[in-house]
Amino acid sequence: MAKFRSFEEIISWQKARELNKDIYNITNKNDSFSKDFGLRDQIRRSSISISSNIAEGFERETTKEFIRFLYIAKASSGEFRSQLCI
């Protein structure tokens, strides 16, 4: 298993951050989101939750806690995908 010095080195965290950036850009430019503030904000929060849970789990400094937070990040990913379907 690879040892990371910081969560910023974790590829899944890096990809989640790219997703955050893309979501903010899309929801700022798309007129559909300017009309539905609630959905826009919820989509943003769920995408942020993915990267945040990866980071928080890493900072807990135990493998068990890290794995638990990875599962939470995975659940946030499901929430995010569901919201995109709306």
Side-chain angles (χ1 to χ4, degrees):
M1 185 166 126
K3 294 283 184 179
F4 299 103
R5 290 171 287 167
S6 70
F7 62 81
E8 291 94 345
E9 296 177 8
I10 301 171
I11 293 171
S12 57
W13 181 86
Q14 294 169 8
K15 292 192 177 289
R17 281 289 299 128
E18 290 173 19
L19 175 66
N20 298 154
K21 184 179 175 182
D22 290 345
I23 288 303
Y24 267 78
N25 287 335
I26 290 167
T27 57
N28 279 335
K29 294 176 184 175
N30 189 315
D31 285 339
S32 298
F33 289 106
S34 67
K35 296 174 187 171
D36 192 340
F37 297 115
L39 180 60
R40 181 198 65 199
D41 293 344
Q42 187 59 38
I43 287 174
R44 286 177 174 180
R45 283 193 302 273
S46 63
S47 74
I48 290 168
S49 183
I50 299 167
S51 58
S52 296
N53 280 299
I54 294 168
E56 184 174 353
F58 179 85
E59 295 297 332
R60 295 288 177 121
E61 297 182 355
T62 68
T63 301
K64 184 177 180 179
E65 283 287 287
F66 184 42
I67 290 169
R68 184 169 82 83
F69 276 84
L70 290 177
Y71 278 112
I72 294 169
K74 183 180 182 295
S76 294
S77 174
E79 177 186 9
F80 173 76
R81 291 191 328 266
S82 177
Q83 291 161 356
L84 289 179
C85 293
I86 295 170

